[in-house]
Structure formats: C-alpha cells, structure tokens
Amino acid sequence: MKNTIFILKEGTPKYKQIYEQFKSFIERGDILPDNPLPSIRQLADSLQVSRNTTLMAYEQLVAEGYIRGEGRKGYFVNELEPVLFQNTVIPPHKKHKETVTPVQIDFRAGSVDQTNFPLEIWRRISNKVLTLRESFRYGEPFGEVCLREQIAAYLFQSRGVKTEPDAIIIGSSTQQMLIHLGQILKDEFTGIIIEDPGYDGAMEAFRFHRFTIETLPVYETGANFSKLEKLRSRLIYVTPSHQSPLGVSMSIQQRQLLIHWAKNKNGFIIEDDYDSEFRYTQQPFPALASIDSTRVIYLGNFSKSFLPGIRLSYMVLPQLVLNRYKNQFLHFESTSSLLSQLTMAKFMEEGEWNRHIKRMRLVYKRKMQCLVSELKEHFKQSTSIIGEQSGLYVLVKVHLNRSEEWLIERASIYGVKVYPTSIYFIKNHPGEAIIKLGFSNLTCDEIQRGVKLLKEAWGC
Amino acid sequence: MKNTIFILKEGTPKYKQIYEQFKSFIERGDILPDNPLPSIRQLADSLQVSRNTTLMAYEQLVAEGYIRGEGRKGYFVNELEPVLFQNTVIPPHKKHKETVTPVQIDFRAGSVDQTNFPLEIWRRISNKVLTLRESFRYGEPFGEVCLREQIAAYLFQSRGVKTEPDAIIIGSSTQQMLIHLGQILKDEFTGIIIEDPGYDGAMEAFRFHRFTIETLPVYETGANFSKLEKLRSRLIYVTPSHQSPLGVSMSIQQRQLLIHWAKNKNGFIIEDDYDSEFRYTQQPFPALASIDSTRVIYLGNFSKSFLPGIRLSYMVLPQLVLNRYKNQFLHFESTSSLLSQLTMAKFMEEGEWNRHIKRMRLVYKRKMQCLVSELKEHFKQSTSIIGEQSGLYVLVKVHLNRSEEWLIERASIYGVKVYPTSIYFIKNHPGEAIIKLGFSNLTCDEIQRGVKLLKEAWGC
C-alpha cells in the first residue's frame, strides 16, 4: 500500500468515508491484490477513530468482496474482475446504495432516558431564568452560589457528605475538573494511581499533566488493595460506589483502608461518584468523603442523572486543596453555562431534582431488570453478566472464544451497536471478550429486540 | 497586627465581611491605635479579592472613624473611645445599618444589553431543541458539526476568514481554549509574547502552562512593532481588531508585518477577535486569519455579542495545529453545553444571529455616543477618552493627579461602580490613572446619571 492520505470530513459517517476511500484505492490499483491492509487497531489509531469505525468499514468491504479477512493474519485485498472497474469515476447518483445494515438498536451507555425527562418543568424554569438580570453577566469563577448551596444540601442528604457551599467548585465535566485539579497537584504529586480497568477519560486527563501512572488491579469482586503498599504514588483516583466499568462497590473495610492509606502517606483520594444515584438492590454505600473529608476530593456530575449535554459537574475540595485551587483559578472564568447553573439551582430548590432522581431510579431499575432477564434467557451459559446491581449499563463476558472486535462487528451486521471494554484495561485484561451494553435511552421492547438480534449475530 | 485569619464566606458581600472583621479586631484591641493596616493591594492579594473590595471595606472604616488614611503612607488605626466598646458583642438586631451608599450605576463591562435580547426566539428554539433525541447524548468532542458549519459561514461573510467546519473547535471560554492550545504548543514554544497592556485572562491562561512571558508595548496609537525583533518568542497573542483594553485597531501594514514575522520565525499568531462585531465608525478591518490562515490561530466567542453566561467560544486552527489538537483532545469531552450549541446553530441558521448583531450594533452605538458626549460635556479638559470607535466600554484617562484607587473609591461613595485598568498593565503603565467604563447593560438615562455622579465624586 502506497503512502496514501486519508482526509476524514465531518458530516458523513467516518466508517463510510474509510470504506469509500479503500474502495477507490483498490479500484484504482493503489493497493494490489493479496496485499495486507493495516490492522483494525493501526488504522483506528492513525485516523483517530474508534476501532469500531474501522471495523465497520472493513466489514463493508468484506461484504462487497473487495477484501477478505484471514483470521489473526488480518485483512487482504481480493483480486478484482477488471471489467467491473473500467469506469472508475461513477456519477454520484448512480453509486449503489450503502448496504451496511443501519443501526436499529444502539446499546450506547452515554445517553439518558428521554421519555421521562421533566421537559415542562425544566422549560418553565429556564424560560424564567432568561428574564433575570443576573443571567446577562459573566458567572462566578467557581460557580454560582445558589447552585453550590443546593449541591451541598443534596450531598449531605444523599451521600452523607458534609460540606460548605464555599468548598464546592462547579465545572463543566469530570475531565475539565481533573485538568484543573491536576494543575494544583502536579507539583507535589508527580504520579497517580488509577484503577485497571478504569475510566479512560480520567486517565487522559492525568496524562494531560504527564503524571506517572501506576495501576491498581480491579476484578469483579473488587480491587486488590494489597498491591497499594507497593506503589509509590500518594494520589489515587477511584470510583468507589460503582467501579467504572466493573460495577463493583468498595466495602466499608476497603474504604477505611484507603482513607488510612491516604492519611499515612499524606496523600489524596480523588473519589469519582459519577452515578451513585442509581443503585437498585441496596442502599448506596456512604461516600469516602463522608468518612473523612480531609483527604478526599469528591467529584460528582449531572451527566448520568440528568443530561450529559448540560455539562455540569462539581467537586468538593478539602481545605488544603481548596485554598490552592482558589489561588490558582481566581482569575479564570467558569467554563459552565450560567443559565444552566441558575436553572439547575431552581430545579433543585423546588424539589424537582429529588423527584427526578426517584423516578429515574425506578425507570432504570425496570430497564436493567429487563436487559438482565433477556440476556439470561437467550444466552444462558454463554455469557456472564457483570454489574447488574447499579448504574446504566452492564458488562457481558462472552464465553464464545471470540474477540471483542468480532463480537462488535457481527452485532453491527445485524443492526445492533454494542461497545468495547478493552479501552478501559491497561494490563489487567482477563483475556475473554467483554462487551458493554448501555440501556438508558432504550425501551424494554428495544432491549428485547436488541438481545434477540445479538443472539443471532453471535450464533449462540 | 497579630496573625489574624480571615474567613470569607459566600453569600455576604466580601467588602462587608472584611469591614466587619477589621472593626471587631480594632474593637477587641487586636490591632492597636496608630498601627498600620495592610495596604489595599496586599490585603486584596492575600484574601484573593479585588482591590476595589478591600478599598470599599477601608473606606467604610474611614467613614466610621475606625481608621484614617494618610496618603501614600497607607491606613492607620485610630484611637477609640473605650466607653463605646465596653460590650463588644452587640446583638445582631441592634447593629447599626450599613452606611455605604448602595451601587446605583454599575459601569461594568462584562454584561450585555438585556432589553434587546431576542428572548422569544431563543426560547422557541431552545424549547424545540429539548425535544430532539440528539439532545440526550454526550456532544461531539470538538463541538457539534451543525454549529461549526454556521460559524464557518459567518466567519467568511463577516470576517473574511475562509475555513472548513472541520478546522473549527468549539470551547466554553477563551481561557479554556487557551489552556487547551497551550498544551499542544508548549513543547515547541516555551515562551509567548503578549500585549502590554493586554487581556489579563489570557496571561493567566499562559501562566497555567508556565510559558515565559515577554511583552509588546501597546499605546493608544497602536503597538510598537519595532520591539518585536528583539523578543525571543515565536508565539504571540494579540487583539488586532479592538486592542484589549486600549481599543486601537492594527493597521493593514502592521497586520502584514506581523504575519511576515510569524512566517519568518515559524511561529504562530493567536488572534483574539473577541468583539469585532461592534465597530461604529468604520468597516471592521479584515481579520489576520483572513490574510494568512497558515500561521494564525483565530479565536472568537459569543460572550460579548450574545450572552457571556452561555459559555460558547470557538477557534479556527491552521492545519498543523489542528492535527496536533485533534490528536491530543480526541478523548476529551467537550466542555460546552450541547443544548446551547444546538440552539445557537439553529438561531444562526434561521438568520436570527445576523439580525441580532445588526440590531445590537445600533443599540451599542447609541449608548457609546451617549456616554462619550456626556463625558465630554461634563469633564471637558479633565479627562481624555480612549477607544470610542468600537467595543462595549471606553477608557477614561483622568487628568486630576489622583490615583486609580482614589477615583474608584470616590465613585463608590457616590453609588457609582467604575473599574480599574491597572490590572491590564505589566510594565507599560503611563502613570496617569485610567478608568474603565462599560455601558452595555445601562440605559442612556443611567449613563447620564452615572456621569453626573462621577463628576461630583471626582470634584471636577
């Protein structure tokens, strides 16, 4: 394959562009028969797209006979009938239609339920906010006081976290807050411990500041804390309520051990409590920050529990960190919408937030039950379900001796979009493929159809 | 003065808390008569409040006789009549009322006009956006395509900047974008040149990455470009359309010189075109990015022209920087609200944006004329006005041999809030005090009253 350049445009699906580009390379003879294509992973990395995207492009090329997969060896160009490609420039309107099955069911974990969104109430409040004089100015650098007051009250009531509004900082996303945090911690702490597997977005934020990264292995049964003493960092990022992505909760003994460790080391724990609202089988465990607030930096957000697109997050800082934070960021404008902050504050003040969370817990519990029972019924012994007690997705370990890529690819042929988990693992991958299925914006009917299609796709 | 600790709470005005605290120190004898207080500047820095805040607190203490100002020597504690303070704990309901004049006219530059805000149209569109399925997911990391398309079209039409939507990155504020930019530039560029005086928020963002900072002196007549060759950095941050804060525009010769410099040095120009929409006397000069797009990073935002609290900004990156940017930030979530992005895209698509800008240009032009004619009428030779051709504020050089602090303090006693400019200067301050007067959210009547009060306050 020559040094070919891909230019991916916005607007058209990327996999389609990759597919078209390869098709024209092959048709023009830029890539000759029996030559290998870049691997799914190489191509995804070099084009900065997901592996799922390159996989979909290759799958389409396979389906149309341009290339063939040879198992672990990769993909190779097929010999083409020359007559078919005499006219390489086909007028656009004569081009044959896309034959990739359109996505029917998308098990995406990043959306929220639309049907139960409190549309009218939110509209009423945000329409009102637009008439206030205070909506026409710049916001407070650390977030609006009225929202911080509401969050402080909510955290005390729901997570046992005692805090002053003054110790709360409003941000626009967990990653943005981690970048700011990293800035004030990086001089004292050169390294950080993260969970393996763990939230990839957090790792990226720590890489932003070039922290040395150490990993704490986590399993379905929980983290292996005996490893902690062997690590050098005094800073750790964890997801204690609902480990991301394995779903396990930290026991109270583990929580205490972790706090003891941080105190001993003069370190800090960054507790990301990203979706603690949705626990279906038990009461939520207390937040680390409720046990000891001096060594815990607590992060929360409205993305899972309300709306990801609203871009509202917050953190509670221990005094030591708070002073440094305010000193560093006093002259920085807030990154989160003033209008959204004022609307959310009023929404919480009116009690609508608590009502919304209660309602959504039931809605998501029903969906979770539906997904789990469908999976158990259709897959029986061929899959194990991980993390059904809480959150807005489950992981499915597939005992079919198939790769993650194969499972995603096969699903996509059947019109079902499922998600990889390998991106969350650093060096602790168990070997067997694990697929992520989100359900928040699917109906029970869609979940049922999706699982049935998956069964067909995976042939089990 | 002993080692006293101030704890400033949210909710109550800070100057009031500082005032109360000092009062109780003095009453309790923690600070003895004739002892000096920290300077306005020292106290502001250590408490992380504005100098205006500490000034207001001291002014109140002076007014009530607790302390006295001794010109350049600073503030000193007065001898108190012991009998007055036998009972240091006064029941709250018996405390005498605040005597500081409340703010009647606030010449703040960071607000926008509320009366002419297209409330109904914005509501209609944002209410519609809330019903779309796409509003319930996470947004695109580099911003929504629909908004980037609208911005590309707008930039071409209004600023002559030719760009693909793909080269546009949506962010939540200029500072947030500068932090991201700094991350991908800091390995190649260790230093940056900024304007002196210049936008303090940009300087803070460059300090975030510990860039070495060099300054280019700017005067009312423009920047001194002959200094450029003596500086070592190959990266420069400028505000060519409307220099912040002096208001002068860069001539086409200077623009070409700057681009030539960047090309020669293999450097980049960061062009912050923050309020180019509001130019009253001439057509706007072309953006640097319209002359040469390979060496110019163009920044724009919706804060001045629409609403600061919406937190929507954007930048146009040259190819070299774009690739690095996408590589670095592919795995970072957008910090700007998806809902605001979708609403703004539709607002622009419907032509409402252009209508809004046209209307606001007239509204602000009228307000600017009103402010300038009032200042000329009342102050005659005692002030010079800087920057009346464009933007949402003017600077007023006050020829009264008074300090900036004195002018702000005196104004506040008369219920007028005016703003300092010393925060924008690094080492190029002309000596004479310069006051900043914003007018965007004041009516002509309020502007008239404000100027009259200023005349009384400053005694000229």
Side-chain angles (χ1 to χ4, degrees):
Chain A
M1 183 175 165
K2 293 173 198 166
N3 253 339
T4 41
I5 297 166
F6 272 75
I7 300 159
L8 295 182
K9 288 171 296 189
E10 296 292 326
T12 323
K14 298 231 169 69
Y15 84 91
K16 214 160 152 179
Q17 296 182 50
I18 298 169
Y19 152 80
E20 298 273 5
Q21 196 81 78
F22 268 107
K23 206 174 80 170
S24 88
F25 287 154
I26 296 167
E27 288 178 1
R28 293 199 310 244
D30 287 350
I31 320 176
L32 295 173
D34 299 324
N35 273 3
L37 296 188
S39 76
I40 297 283
R41 180 186 293 233
Q42 279 169 352
L43 185 65
D45 286 354
S46 74
L47 294 179
Q48 296 167 28
V49 296
S50 74
R51 289 178 205 159
N52 205 13
T53 301
T54 48
L55 193 96
M56 278 169 76
Y58 279 11
E59 179 53 34
Q60 179 66 12
L61 291 163
V62 168
E64 297 185 21
Y66 286 91
I67 63 170
R68 63 184 182 276
E70 296 192 0
R72 292 194 161 267
K73 283 165 73 188
Y75 291 87
F76 295 84
V77 175
N78 284 339
E79 187 85 48
L80 300 179
E81 290 293 320
V83 66
L84 269 172
F85 304 105
Q86 274 173 350
N87 301 310
T88 51
V89 184
I90 309 162
H93 64 278
K94 291 207 174 165
K95 276 189 184 166
H96 67 93
K97 280 267 175 233
E98 263 300 319
T99 56
V100 164
T101 324
V103 176
Q104 291 180 46
I105 308 290
D106 189 347
F107 282 105
R108 176 200 285 253
S111 311
V112 294
D113 181 278
Q114 188 177 359
T115 326
N116 292 281
F117 185 79
L119 193 65
E120 287 313 316
I121 298 162
W122 188 258
R123 271 184 184 167
R124 171 177 57 75
I125 300 173
S126 59
N127 286 346
K128 171 92 183 121
V129 160
L130 267 176
T131 65
L132 305 176
R133 192 175 174 111
E134 58 178 331
S135 301
F136 288 78
R137 57 166 171 81
Y138 278 86
E140 295 295 319
F142 306 124
E144 298 308 300
V145 176
C146 56
L147 181 57
R148 288 147 71 183
E149 284 170 351
Q150 292 299 325
I151 291 172
Y154 169 71
L155 286 180
F156 180 60
Q157 158 227 319
S158 76
R159 309 292 297 124
V161 178
K162 282 180 210 130
T163 178
E164 291 292 312
D166 193 46
I168 296 175
I169 308 283
I170 312 269
S172 53
S173 74
T174 299
Q175 286 184 313
Q176 179 264 319
M177 294 191 306
L178 289 177
I179 288 179
H180 279 203
L181 257 186
Q183 179 74 2
I184 53 164
L185 295 174
K186 71 181 179 188
D187 288 334
E188 189 183 342
F189 303 91
T190 55
I192 187 160
I193 302 164
I194 59 174
E195 297 168 318
D196 178 12
Y199 169 42
D200 53 331
M203 188 169 68
E204 290 296 331
F206 298 126
R207 282 199 178 138
F208 181 97
H209 289 299
R210 296 166 195 179
F211 278 99
T212 310
I213 289 179
E214 295 183 289
T215 57
L216 180 72
V218 185
Y219 306 94
E220 290 168 49
T221 48
N224 181 354
F225 277 106
S226 68
K227 294 258 176 181
L228 205 54
E229 285 304 326
K230 291 179 195 130
L231 302 176
R232 270 171 313 173
S233 307
R234 299 180 294 123
L235 196 59
I236 188 169
Y237 167 86
V238 285
T239 48
S241 294
H242 181 223
Q243 203 275 334
S244 173
L246 292 175
V248 59
S249 297
M250 234 180 245
S251 71
I252 185 68
Q253 289 76 15
Q254 288 174 322
R255 283 164 199 250
Q256 283 168 338
L257 187 149
L258 196 57
I259 284 171
H260 189 70
W261 170 88
K263 279 187 159 171
N264 250 354
K265 293 249 182 181
N266 259 330
F268 287 108
I269 303 162
I270 303 174
E271 173 179 34
D272 188 351
D273 208 27
Y274 66 106
D275 72 352
S276 61
E277 292 87 359
F278 303 117
R279 190 162 187 89
Y280 310 119
T281 50
Q282 298 160 292
Q283 284 297 306
F285 289 20
L288 284 173
S290 74
I291 306 174
D292 187 315
S293 62
T294 62
R295 291 281 148 200
V296 180
I297 294 163
Y298 178 92
L299 309 186
N301 69 68
F302 293 94
S303 296
K304 317 291 174 194
S305 46
F306 191 67
L307 206 55
I310 197 177
R311 307 279 73 205
L312 272 185
S313 299
Y314 52 88
M315 54 186 172
V316 183
L317 299 182
Q319 199 59 46
L320 270 170
V321 183
L322 183 66
N323 295 345
R324 277 192 246 170
Y325 191 94
K326 293 203 165 172
N327 202 26
Q328 166 75 46
F329 290 105
L330 178 69
H331 300 289
F332 283 82
E333 289 159 16
S334 169
T335 57
S336 30
S337 160
L338 171 63
L339 306 176
S340 306
Q341 289 184 62
L342 296 174
T343 309
M344 182 55 85
K346 194 77 190 148
F347 186 77
M348 293 177 92
E349 195 194 317
E350 291 187 1
E352 294 297 341
W353 168 254
N354 279 331
R355 272 190 283 281
H356 178 67
I357 291 297
K358 263 192 203 157
R359 184 171 52 239
M360 295 319 294
R361 196 179 288 125
L362 290 177
V363 168
Y364 289 141
K365 183 178 184 174
R366 214 161 45 229
K367 291 189 185 192
M368 174 66 99
Q369 285 168 341
C370 170
L371 175 59
V372 168
S373 73
E374 287 297 312
L375 285 170
K376 285 188 176 157
E377 187 190 325
H378 289 285
F379 286 99
K380 300 204 168 70
Q381 302 309 313
S382 51
T383 62
S384 323
I385 298 165
I386 306 171
E388 62 186 277
Q389 291 81 22
S390 57
L392 306 180
Y393 63 86
V394 290
L395 302 190
V396 176
K397 207 182 243 182
V398 188
H399 314 304
L400 291 171
N401 206 13
R402 295 290 192 176
S403 70
E404 180 182 276
E405 291 185 353
W406 187 91
L407 295 166
I408 293 172
E409 178 194 341
R410 287 291 299 175
S412 84
I413 298 171
Y414 282 78
V416 183
K417 206 161 172 195
V418 298
Y419 291 83
T421 59
S422 53
I423 51 172
Y424 306 120
F425 286 87
I426 299 163
K427 46 191 181 189
N428 190 31
H429 201 287
E432 214 165 15
I434 304 174
I435 295 296
K436 185 175 180 180
L437 302 179
F439 54 76
S440 31
N441 204 12
L442 294 177
T443 63
C444 275
D445 182 59
E446 286 168 327
I447 291 171
Q448 283 170 355
R449 278 199 291 134
V451 173
K452 270 183 205 135
L453 285 168
L454 275 186
K455 186 184 158 80
E456 283 179 52
W458 294 347
C460 55
Chain B
M1 184 173 163
K2 293 172 197 167
N3 254 339
T4 40
I5 297 167
F6 271 76
I7 299 160
L8 294 182
K9 288 170 295 188
E10 296 290 327
T12 323
K14 298 232 168 70
Y15 83 91
K16 214 160 154 179
Q17 295 182 51
I18 298 170
Y19 152 81
E20 298 273 6
Q21 196 81 76
F22 268 107
K23 206 174 81 169
S24 89
F25 287 154
I26 296 167
E27 289 179 1
R28 292 200 310 243
D30 287 350
I31 320 178
L32 295 174
D34 300 324
N35 272 4
L37 295 189
S39 77
I40 297 284
R41 180 184 295 231
Q42 278 169 353
L43 186 64
D45 285 355
S46 76
L47 294 179
Q48 296 165 29
V49 298
S50 74
R51 288 177 206 161
N52 205 15
T53 301
T54 48
L55 193 95
M56 279 169 74
Y58 279 12
E59 179 53 34
Q60 179 66 12
L61 291 163
V62 168
E64 297 185 21
Y66 286 90
I67 63 171
R68 63 183 181 274
E70 297 192 359
R72 291 195 161 267
K73 284 165 73 188
Y75 292 87
F76 295 84
V77 175
N78 284 337
E79 187 86 48
L80 301 179
E81 290 294 320
V83 67
L84 268 172
F85 304 103
Q86 276 174 349
N87 300 310
T88 51
V89 185
I90 308 161
H93 64 276
K94 291 208 175 165
K95 276 189 184 167
H96 67 93
K97 280 268 175 232
E98 263 300 320
T99 56
V100 164
T101 323
V103 176
Q104 292 180 46
I105 308 289
D106 188 347
F107 282 105
R108 177 200 284 253
S111 311
V112 294
D113 181 277
Q114 188 177 359
T115 326
N116 292 281
F117 185 78
L119 194 64
E120 288 313 316
I121 298 162
W122 187 258
R123 271 183 184 167
R124 172 178 55 76
I125 300 175
S126 58
N127 286 345
K128 171 91 183 121
V129 160
L130 268 176
T131 64
L132 304 176
R133 193 175 173 113
E134 58 177 334
S135 300
F136 288 79
R137 57 166 170 82
Y138 277 87
E140 295 295 319
F142 306 124
E144 298 309 300
V145 177
C146 56
L147 180 57
R148 287 147 70 183
E149 284 169 351
Q150 292 299 325
I151 292 172
Y154 169 70
L155 286 180
F156 180 60
Q157 158 228 316
S158 76
R159 308 293 297 126
V161 178
K162 282 179 210 129
T163 178
E164 291 291 312
D166 193 46
I168 296 175
I169 307 285
I170 312 268
S172 52
S173 74
T174 298
Q175 286 184 312
Q176 179 264 320
M177 293 193 305
L178 288 178
I179 288 179
H180 279 203
L181 257 186
Q183 179 75 2
I184 53 164
L185 294 174
K186 71 180 179 189
D187 288 335
E188 190 183 341
F189 303 91
T190 54
I192 187 160
I193 302 163
I194 59 174
E195 297 166 320
D196 178 14
Y199 169 42
D200 53 330
M203 188 169 67
E204 291 296 332
F206 299 126
R207 282 199 178 136
F208 181 98
H209 289 298
R210 296 164 196 179
F211 278 99
T212 310
I213 289 179
E214 294 183 289
T215 57
L216 179 71
V218 185
Y219 306 94
E220 290 169 49
T221 48
N224 181 355
F225 277 105
S226 68
K227 293 257 176 182
L228 205 54
E229 285 305 325
K230 292 179 196 129
L231 303 175
R232 271 172 312 176
S233 307
R234 299 180 294 121
L235 196 59
I236 188 169
Y237 167 86
V238 286
T239 47
S241 294
H242 181 223
Q243 203 276 333
S244 173
L246 291 175
V248 59
S249 297
M250 236 180 244
S251 71
I252 185 68
Q253 289 76 15
Q254 289 174 320
R255 283 163 200 249
Q256 283 168 339
L257 188 149
L258 196 57
I259 285 171
H260 188 71
W261 170 87
K263 280 187 158 171
N264 250 354
K265 292 248 184 181
N266 259 331
F268 287 107
I269 303 162
I270 303 175
E271 174 180 31
D272 188 351
D273 208 26
Y274 66 106
D275 71 352
S276 61
E277 293 86 0
F278 304 117
R279 189 162 188 87
Y280 310 119
T281 51
Q282 298 160 291
Q283 284 298 305
F285 290 19
L288 285 173
S290 75
I291 305 173
D292 186 315
S293 61
T294 62
R295 292 281 147 200
V296 179
I297 294 163
Y298 178 94
L299 310 186
N301 69 67
F302 292 94
S303 296
K304 316 292 174 194
S305 47
F306 191 68
L307 206 56
I310 197 176
R311 307 280 74 206
L312 272 185
S313 298
Y314 52 88
M315 54 186 171
V316 183
L317 299 182
Q319 199 59 47
L320 270 169
V321 183
L322 184 66
N323 294 345
R324 277 190 246 170
Y325 190 94
K326 293 204 165 171
N327 201 26
Q328 167 75 46
F329 290 105
L330 178 70
H331 300 289
F332 283 82
E333 288 157 17
S334 169
T335 56
S336 30
S337 160
L338 171 64
L339 306 177
S340 305
Q341 289 183 61
L342 296 174
T343 309
M344 182 54 86
K346 194 80 190 142
F347 186 77
M348 293 177 94
E349 194 194 318
E350 291 187 3
E352 295 296 343
W353 169 253
N354 279 332
R355 271 190 284 280
H356 178 67
I357 291 297
K358 263 192 203 157
R359 185 171 51 238
M360 295 319 292
R361 196 180 290 126
L362 289 177
V363 168
Y364 290 141
K365 184 179 183 173
R366 215 163 41 229
K367 291 189 184 190
M368 174 67 98
Q369 284 168 342
C370 171
L371 175 59
V372 169
S373 74
E374 288 297 314
L375 285 171
K376 285 186 177 160
E377 187 190 324
H378 290 285
F379 286 100
K380 301 207 170 70
Q381 303 308 315
S382 51
T383 61
S384 322
I385 297 164
I386 307 170
E388 62 186 276
Q389 292 80 21
S390 57
L392 306 180
Y393 63 85
V394 290
L395 301 190
V396 177
K397 206 181 244 182
V398 189
H399 315 304
L400 292 171
N401 207 14
R402 294 291 192 175
S403 69
E404 180 182 276
E405 291 184 355
W406 187 91
L407 294 166
I408 292 173
E409 176 193 344
R410 287 290 300 175
S412 84
I413 297 171
Y414 283 78
V416 183
K417 206 161 172 195
V418 298
Y419 291 84
T421 60
S422 53
I423 50 173
Y424 307 120
F425 287 87
I426 298 163
K427 46 191 181 189
N428 190 31
H429 200 287
E432 214 166 12
I434 304 174
I435 295 295
K436 185 176 182 181
L437 302 178
F439 53 76
S440 33
N441 204 12
L442 294 177
T443 62
C444 275
D445 182 60
E446 286 169 325
I447 291 171
Q448 283 170 353
R449 279 199 291 134
V451 173
K452 269 183 206 134
L453 285 167
L454 275 186
K455 187 183 158 80
E456 284 179 52
W458 295 346
C460 53

